[in-house]
Amino acid sequence: MTEQSNHRPHLSSDDPRIMLDGEIGQFENVPPYPPRTEREAEFYTLADGEMFLNMGPQHPSTHGVLRVVLKINGEQVVDLDPVLGYLHRGVEKLCENSDYHHIISQVDPLEYVSSLFMEWAPVMAFEKLLDVQVPRRAEYIRVLTGELLRVSSHALYQGWMALDLGGLAPILYSFIERDEIVEMLAAITGQRMLFNYFRIGGVNGDLNHEFMSRLGDWMSRALKMHETNIALLNENEIFVRRMRGIGKVDKDTALRMAVTGPNLRAAGVPFDVRRAHPYSVYPELEFDIPVRGANGGGDSLDRYLLRLDEVRESIRIIDQCLHNMPDGPVMARLPRLLRPRPGRAWAAVEAPRGLYGTYAISDGTDQPFRMKIHDPSFVNMQLVGMLMKGNLIADTMAVMASIDPVMGGIDK
Amino acid sequence: MSFIPGIGLVRGMGLTLRRFFQPKATIKWPEEKADVAPKFRGRLQLLYDEYGTLKCETCFQCAQACPIECIDMGGVDTKGRFHVHWGPPETYGERREESALRRSGRPVADTAYAHFEGIDIAPLDAILDAHDYDPKELLAILEETQAEYGYLPVAALKHISRITGAWYAQIYGTATYYRHLRFEPPAVEAVAPAGQAQIAAEDGFRSALDAALGYGGRAN
Amino acid sequence: MTTLSRSWGNMTTLGKVVVPLLLLVLVGGPILTIAVGLWVGPWLLGVLSSNMGIVRFVVAITGVLLFSIPAAFIIIYMELKVIAQMNLRVGPDRVGPAGAAHSVVAGLKVLTKEDFTPKSADVIVFTWAPVIVFLTAVMTFLVIPFGPGFIDPVTGERVGGLVGQDMNIGLLYMFAVGGMTVVGLLLAGWSSFNKYSLLGGLRSAAQVVSYEIPLTLSVVGLILLAGTMSLQGIANQQEGWFTNWFVFRQPLGALIFFIAATAEANRTPFDLTEADSEIVAGFATEYSGMRFGFLFFAEYVNVFIVSALITTLFFGAWNAPIDINAILALVGLTPPVIALDPGSLGIGLLVLIGLAPVVLTALFALPFYLAKSSRPAWKALLIGFVLFNLFAMGILTLLAYIGWGWFAGLIWFFIKSFAFVFVFVWMRGTFPRVRIDHLMGFAWKWLLPAALLNLFLTATAIVVVKSL
């Protein structure tokens, strides 16, 4: 066997084998190597009275495995450094080695909370590459299930937001709501979470009796349930005090940081991909784009209230879809082995968190050459560092929760 | 910069109290079971049709379609031939070719899994014992095995893998890297092993390259 | 155990010491007890009876210490179940009947966990911090009046009662000792060598200290009205109808006290010290095993103490809401004096004890047997037996309630205290957490002036009423 090494190996501060010798100052050399960028140098030097607090990858409230290194002065956060990559699964590389049909199941686990949208954009991009005409019924079903999932995702957001602020009840109510919607989607797609439902050229299965009965049941209660769940939190003074004025984003900052989705609309910019770059059958549907914070910018409370408005709009869209559902096939006829012409295609959809886009480059073989995924949470997370300066530790949670990131999408 | 606990708090408490008396949403498993949609595809079971026969025909379509190749199956086809396809290949680089062949459903002539002749293991055990079953001394073990048997039989490689714990693919890869190790018996008499000379030559080349590129000394 | 069952040659050193000692105790024990009982016994009894006060004190504090653990268990079970029901789920329901044994089993689980100390922690402080927290929480049990005393025929006032020690500065003692909890929390947070614990400990120090002041100020008005700081005295003054309760004379004080007490007990919405969505478990992050059990139990004991305080001060500690004596006097009856003399029944007593259970069981079982034809007789008898037990317990409880004033008071005290515990648990299930600066702002800018205002109004009212 190899002889014992006499020197201690050089361990990074993430290594679980780190040996503490009881030196007090040891914790302050957070990266043991010299700083590589200016930002690192700026962040990792401590002024008087400051200390690092590591809200590590295992934390009850960081929305997944996110490591946030806070530099705090007492209770006030001076600077914030998010460390990503704990959930990186190499999705884009996996997509490069999968057939076009297999990509749909690879791409589901990005933003596992709203996985149909994650399938939608690649499918649209491939349809552009293959010049496939999607049947209208399939488009309507896509919109219907998508909007259902948006309602479910925003319901989860509500609960999550309250949980991060300390309230234990709303998340349970959110999960009851979400359970109903997810059972509905299981009746039509076959799964409760990572649906794998959209196909290139349509969807996998038609509406069935089980789905329609559950949907009808739910629609009759949807708005009323929405109102009840609002009542618990909207008027709660503690909740409102925790969120008003925290994390104010104005129009210019949001545009500069390339934020999209409800975060952008809560900052006063009426940008929605469904209206700005219309896709699918959205041009035929009537719905408004709620905007908040038009003067001065939006804070966390505006982001929260905006998502509640969006739920109402989604219920409206679902209603219209049900009334206008055309007949026809639900999937275009396509060969099993797809070889699109060499080319590039970009497609973007409005996911519950923002603009989710896919840039697919095909080289004529049956696997794409490159599939670049533009994830909304990845861009929205950049806001956290900016918004946290000067707030308290407790606000870190409020701000992060109000931006609604999902780590699966950020780390891909 | 302060708040008066007002009506909103009390109304929130009223809502929770109302919820206290409402029927609960819990499904008490195992006494109650949730209804699962007929289309649910998460059931871990093979389905039977109404006559009691198994629906699965071992057509390999699911294994062929699975993007992460996690499905193994074995079954008898209509001509009575038994096909079996095992789990994922170990190296990512040869994934494409090998998997296409495997996913086609045709029987794969894989020398690693085909029938191989047995050999007398006792000398091999002695060799392994001499090296203390250490997979880090793999090259020396392989060279001595070749000296013993004249070539590297598949049975010997499998035995080494089982005893030392190294993966078969690692041993196979090491064996294929060195040109003096062979897998078939020699047509002519054995050539003297050139192992150490090759290693020294490669080391010299690598250190010269490092020096030329300006890197510090690297361990092999 | 295996130490004892080995043969002498195989025994460890420890075994060689323990086994002879054990034999000595087993054999010599009874002999010694008899000897001591015969010679020392009467002397011992004489000593005890002449120092009844000390004996009473020791018995009382043992009693309250032993009571605190079941109280914590009940409150933990209530919290799990009540919050679950409010969240539309079922709480624990597997362990005992309807999950009642869940908190007991959880306590046992906490005992069996590994009790480690972090490497760079300050070991002495780390070990003693939970003890301080638990001790100060339990020491406050000493002055809480659980039940009324008897009426002294000479002075016509109530004397004694189910109190550990009826100090005439009882309220001051309570606040003093209860305020020491923050020392324990701070030590726990500091000695853990963990930034989360440090944050939790400092937050808790700031919170508890700043809410002490409105807490104590809000009851000063009450003390002015009652004229005494003894809790039993305050309880005595709320006798009679429920309109005598101090909550109607000091509503603002009651509200301020309730809010400040929530903050003192580190309960939601003021539970930043253990905000488990921000600083994982606050000051208790590095604790495990029984040390964590101490901290955990201390919190629930605190909840009980605080609700007992609210009940005592404002809601008439052990007093029933209605005055039975006054109602009976209206009708013309006097309150019944239960003077049971079982011996007077004679042979009837034997008949009662022998026959009554059997006859009543059969009587209660009969309708169940007749109602469902598929029910076997033994099942019906079982149901009848259970019903007979409930009936007998009900009768005895009623007799005890009527006969013993302290029993009635104890029941009312527990009903009211646990009602307030329910309110605390209810608040935990509903509200999110406040932020530290909101917390401090609220205490210093709103509660403190409100408490001062309350004091001012009370004092003015007393002066005005006295001069009229």
Side-chain angles (χ1 to χ4, degrees):
Chain A
M1 296 290 178
T2 54
E3 64 270 6
Q4 301 282 349
S5 52
N6 289 329
H7 67 281
R8 186 171 299 154
H10 181 68
L11 298 169
S12 81
S13 50
D14 291 72
D15 199 315
R17 290 172 295 164
I18 193 167
M19 301 283 278
L20 290 176
D21 274 343
E23 298 167 9
I24 302 294
Q26 195 167 294
F27 282 131
E28 307 309 328
N29 302 330
V30 170
Y33 43 78
R36 293 171 293 194
T37 62
E38 280 175 20
R39 168 79 182 138
E40 262 194 21
E42 173 202 348
F43 185 77
Y44 285 110
T45 45
L46 282 175
D48 199 20
E50 294 172 356
M51 75 175 182
F52 288 121
L53 184 68
N54 183 34
M55 293 190 158
Q58 291 167 313
H59 190 94
S61 287
T62 50
H63 283 263
V65 275
L66 169 68
R67 174 168 162 218
V68 174
V69 185
L70 298 168
K71 190 154 79 163
I72 53 178
N73 184 355
E75 189 82 27
Q76 209 184 29
V77 171
V78 172
D79 209 346
L80 183 145
D81 186 28
V83 180
L84 310 177
Y86 287 93
L87 194 49
H88 179 71
R89 294 161 286 191
V91 173
E92 294 180 353
K93 177 70 178 169
L94 279 176
C95 291
E96 283 177 24
N97 284 305
S98 314
D99 288 353
Y100 282 96
H101 291 291
H102 294 167
I103 285 181
I104 295 171
S105 54
Q106 305 279 16
V107 144
D108 259 336
L110 309 169
E111 289 201 14
Y112 32 83
V113 166
S114 53
S115 40
L116 283 180
F117 293 95
M118 304 297 116
E119 300 167 15
W120 204 342
V123 153
M124 269 169 57
F126 299 148
E127 282 158 10
K128 286 187 188 170
L129 280 176
L130 289 160
D131 289 324
V132 171
Q133 182 71 19
V134 180
R136 277 179 50 83
R137 188 175 170 89
E139 293 278 21
Y140 267 92
I141 296 180
R142 279 185 184 176
V143 169
L144 175 67
T145 44
E147 294 300 323
L148 267 177
L149 205 55
R150 192 190 304 271
V151 170
S152 148
S153 168
H154 284 325
L156 181 63
Y157 162 79
Q158 242 187 314
W160 224 338
M161 182 93 210
L163 187 68
D164 282 350
L165 296 180
L168 305 170
I171 187 149
L172 271 309
Y173 302 150
S174 295
F175 266 99
I176 293 175
E177 259 199 65
R178 199 177 138 75
D179 202 48
E180 289 188 35
I181 298 179
V182 140
E183 283 283 334
M184 245 194 278
L185 287 170
I188 189 179
T189 68
Q191 277 289 359
R192 284 165 58 108
M193 193 152 154
L194 301 177
F195 302 105
N196 199 2
Y197 179 55
F198 289 1
R199 297 284 181 268
I200 302 177
V203 287
N204 186 26
D206 207 342
L207 309 175
N208 50 25
H209 176 67
E210 166 109 20
F211 175 73
M212 294 309 291
S213 75
R214 282 193 201 244
L215 183 62
D217 201 14
W218 180 78
M219 281 294 282
S220 61
R221 285 180 283 123
L223 276 173
K224 189 160 164 305
M225 228 166 33
H226 181 65
E227 301 292 327
T228 320
N229 281 339
I230 287 176
L232 180 60
L233 289 176
N234 276 21
E235 302 168 6
N236 195 331
E237 278 87 358
I238 303 176
F239 190 65
V240 167
R241 285 293 306 171
R242 280 293 292 274
M243 296 219 296
R244 179 171 289 145
I246 306 299
K248 211 171 175 72
V249 182
D250 63 329
K251 209 190 274 203
D252 296 319
T253 318
L255 287 173
R256 215 165 26 98
M257 299 292 288
V259 172
T260 48
N263 300 323
L264 185 62
R265 291 196 280 281
V269 180
F271 175 78
D272 190 330
V273 184
R274 296 174 286 185
R275 286 282 188 238
H277 310 285
Y279 55 96
S280 191
V281 292
Y282 282 109
E284 303 168 19
L285 299 171
E286 280 182 26
F287 60 98
D288 303 317
I289 307 176
V291 175
R292 279 187 184 261
N295 29 323
D299 53 18
S300 300
L301 192 60
D302 288 328
R303 290 194 275 270
Y304 174 79
L305 292 172
L306 184 86
R307 286 182 167 94
L308 296 178
D309 295 339
E310 283 197 0
V311 167
R312 246 173 264 137
E313 297 300 321
S314 290
I315 297 179
R316 234 171 109 188
I317 296 178
I318 295 172
D319 205 23
Q320 289 172 50
C321 280
L322 282 175
H323 282 133
N324 304 344
M325 179 80 65
D327 288 323
V330 287
M331 184 145 161
R333 300 189 69 87
L334 283 179
R336 178 75 65 86
L337 198 61
L338 288 175
R339 289 213 179 88
R341 53 179 165 79
R344 307 160 180 235
W346 161 263
V349 301
E350 174 79 15
R353 278 153 194 94
L355 182 146
Y356 172 73
T358 314
Y359 186 57
I361 304 178
S362 110
D363 57 351
T365 59
D366 55 346
Q367 293 175 340
F369 176 72
R370 171 85 171 108
M371 224 192 77
K372 164 87 176 85
I373 297 170
H374 173 94
D375 192 87
S377 301
F378 185 70
V379 181
N380 292 348
M381 271 306 271
Q382 323 277 348
L383 270 186
V384 174
M386 267 185 48
L387 295 174
M388 271 313 298
K389 308 256 168 76
N391 283 330
L392 306 183
I393 296 179
D395 291 331
T396 319
M397 293 305 141
V399 166
M400 240 194 319
S402 76
I403 291 181
D404 197 13
V406 171
M407 287 315 292
I410 295 179
D411 282 337
K412 292 190 264 295
Chain B
M1 228 304 251
S2 46
F3 64 100
I4 311 172
I7 300 298
L9 292 173
V10 180
R11 284 185 70 181
M13 284 178 77
L15 173 69
T16 9
L17 196 63
R18 256 187 298 135
R19 291 276 158 95
F20 187 80
F21 296 109
Q22 276 174 3
K24 306 292 171 276
T26 315
I27 299 177
K28 291 194 198 182
W29 205 88
E31 288 96 20
E32 313 163 6
K33 302 223 165 66
D35 351 309
V36 174
K39 208 168 183 256
F40 185 63
R41 47 177 209 261
R43 278 180 270 251
L44 294 175
Q45 58 183 156
L46 293 173
L47 298 178
Y48 292 84
D49 64 7
E50 59 265 16
Y51 301 110
T53 45
L54 200 59
K55 281 187 179 179
C56 174
E57 292 175 351
T58 335
C59 64
F60 291 107
Q61 295 306 302
C62 60
Q64 183 177 343
C66 179
I68 44 183
E69 299 179 12
C70 63
I71 301 180
D72 307 341
M73 67 174 68
V76 181
D77 68 2
T78 50
K79 297 227 170 73
R81 297 176 294 212
F82 182 71
H83 303 258
V84 63
H85 285 231
W86 301 107
E90 289 104 338
T91 55
Y92 203 77
E94 54 194 32
R95 203 177 167 90
R96 181 77 184 103
E97 249 70 34
E98 156 97 354
S99 61
L101 184 57
R102 283 173 54 246
R103 281 183 285 151
S104 67
R106 292 194 284 276
V108 177
D110 190 343
T111 48
Y113 296 106
H115 170 74
F116 50 88
E117 294 86 21
I119 53 172
D120 185 15
I121 293 293
L124 186 56
D125 275 334
I127 295 171
L128 285 170
D129 193 29
H131 286 278
D132 198 25
Y133 310 109
D134 191 355
K136 294 194 191 69
E137 303 179 15
L138 196 56
L139 179 59
I141 295 173
L142 289 175
E143 287 177 350
E144 288 176 30
T145 314
Q146 177 155 308
E148 176 66 41
Y149 294 103
Y151 67 108
L152 291 176
V154 173
L157 294 180
K158 286 184 112 25
H159 188 70
I160 296 173
S161 163
R162 197 167 64 90
I163 297 292
T164 60
W167 289 337
Y168 182 85
Q170 183 181 348
I171 302 172
Y172 189 76
T174 310
T176 48
Y177 180 71
Y178 292 100
R179 286 169 294 185
H180 63 288
L181 296 173
R182 49 178 177 267
F183 294 99
E184 284 98 22
V188 292
E189 68 272 14
V191 187
Q196 292 305 315
Q198 183 174 349
I199 294 171
E202 278 157 2
D203 275 348
F205 173 71
R206 225 186 277 141
S207 47
L209 188 64
D210 284 344
L213 288 173
Y215 292 140
R218 259 186 0 179
N220 285 349
Chain C
M1 272 303 145
T2 52
T3 317
L4 304 176
S5 57
R6 292 181 194 165
S7 59
W8 189 262
N10 282 344
M11 215 175 287
T12 59
T13 329
L14 181 68
K16 288 187 184 161
V17 167
V18 166
V19 168
L21 270 181
L22 205 64
L23 285 175
L24 205 66
V25 166
L26 279 174
V27 170
I31 302 177
L32 211 64
T33 318
I34 297 173
V36 163
L38 283 179
W39 286 320
V40 176
W43 168 79
L44 197 66
L45 279 176
V47 167
L48 283 180
S49 57
S50 60
N51 296 329
M52 209 53 204
I54 297 183
V55 170
R56 188 190 163 283
F57 180 69
V58 168
V59 167
I61 59 178
T62 314
V64 297
L65 200 67
L66 290 178
F67 172 69
S68 65
I69 306 282
F73 279 142
I74 294 175
I75 299 179
I76 294 173
Y77 175 67
M78 255 180 78
E79 171 147 330
L80 291 170
K81 266 305 223 193
V82 166
I83 293 187
Q85 300 276 322
M86 287 180 180
N87 291 345
L88 290 181
R89 45 182 185 97
V90 178
D93 67 335
R94 298 280 156 185
V95 188
H102 184 98
S103 46
V104 179
V105 172
L108 288 176
K109 171 196 78 167
V110 145
L111 271 175
T112 59
K113 285 200 172 168
E114 181 188 356
D115 211 353
F116 58 83
T117 316
K119 184 166 175 190
S120 323
D122 196 342
V123 183
I124 300 178
V125 179
F126 190 78
T127 316
W128 284 96
V131 175
I132 297 179
V133 175
F134 189 70
L135 261 181
T136 53
V138 169
M139 268 162 73
T140 47
F141 265 110
L142 193 69
V143 289
I144 296 183
F146 286 89
F150 57 92
I151 300 185
D152 191 358
V154 173
T155 54
E157 305 207 336
R158 284 198 182 263
V159 177
L162 293 178
V163 193
Q165 184 80 0
D166 188 11
M167 304 184 193
N168 55 359
I169 48 162
L171 206 52
L172 185 64
Y173 167 85
M174 173 148 270
F175 289 139
V177 169
M180 285 212 306
T181 317
V182 69
V183 174
L185 294 182
L186 201 52
L187 291 178
W190 180 262
S191 67
S192 295
F193 199 66
N194 182 344
K195 284 181 197 170
Y196 287 127
S197 308
L198 184 67
L199 274 178
L202 293 177
R203 279 180 178 182
S204 81
Q207 172 182 327
V208 171
V209 163
S210 44
Y211 276 88
E212 283 278 344
I213 302 186
L215 189 79
T216 42
L217 273 183
S218 60
V219 292
V220 175
L222 182 98
I223 297 173
L224 283 180
L225 276 181
T228 169
M229 278 207 269
S230 147
L231 284 172
Q232 182 73 298
I234 292 177
N236 284 338
Q237 296 195 11
Q238 300 179 64
E239 241 179 295
W241 287 94
F242 67 93
T243 45
N244 279 345
W245 292 353
F246 278 120
V247 68
F248 300 106
R249 295 186 246 172
Q250 287 266 293
L252 185 59
L255 186 64
I256 299 171
F257 188 82
F258 183 72
I259 300 175
T262 323
E264 284 289 307
N266 289 339
R267 293 293 288 180
T268 317
F270 302 110
D271 64 346
L272 320 125
T273 63
E274 41 165 51
D276 52 20
S277 59
E278 294 160 30
I279 45 172
V280 184
F283 58 90
T285 315
E286 294 285 346
Y287 282 94
S288 73
M290 199 52 205
R291 297 201 191 128
F292 181 73
F294 265 145
L295 289 173
F296 194 58
F297 273 19
E299 178 186 335
Y300 289 106
V301 166
N302 253 337
V303 169
F304 182 76
I305 293 285
V306 143
S307 33
L309 251 191
I310 294 178
T311 321
T312 311
L313 292 174
F314 296 105
F315 285 89
W318 31 257
N319 291 304
I322 49 178
D323 195 355
I324 294 281
N325 297 340
I327 293 182
L328 291 178
L330 274 179
V331 184
L333 297 169
T334 51
V337 175
I338 311 277
L340 284 175
D341 185 15
S344 64
L345 291 173
I347 195 70
L349 182 64
L350 199 61
V351 169
L352 192 72
I353 294 180
L355 280 186
V358 177
V359 167
L360 282 175
T361 306
L363 202 67
F364 287 131
L366 198 62
F368 289 97
Y369 184 58
L370 292 175
K372 197 167 158 187
S373 61
S374 65
R375 183 171 281 144
W378 64 268
K379 261 196 194 165
L381 278 176
L382 201 64
I383 298 176
F385 186 63
V386 169
L387 282 178
F388 160 70
N389 275 330
L390 287 174
F391 172 73
M393 279 198 322
I395 294 244
L396 286 176
T397 314
L398 192 66
L399 284 177
Y401 185 94
I402 299 174
W404 293 325
W406 59 266
F407 189 77
L410 198 65
I411 289 186
W412 278 111
F413 180 79
F414 281 134
I415 290 177
K416 291 187 216 175
S417 289
F418 279 104
F420 275 101
V421 170
F422 177 80
V423 172
F424 279 122
V425 171
W426 183 9
M427 288 205 312
R428 175 163 187 190
T430 315
F431 295 142
R433 200 171 287 136
V434 302
R435 223 170 56 187
I436 186 81
D437 55 340
H438 293 328
L439 181 106
M440 307 293 269
F442 184 58
W444 292 99
K445 293 189 199 173
W446 285 93
L447 283 187
L448 182 60
L452 287 174
L453 180 73
N454 178 41
L455 182 58
F456 178 69
L457 286 175
T458 313
T460 317
I462 291 179
V463 167
V464 164
V465 166
K466 268 221 178 90
S467 67
L468 285 175

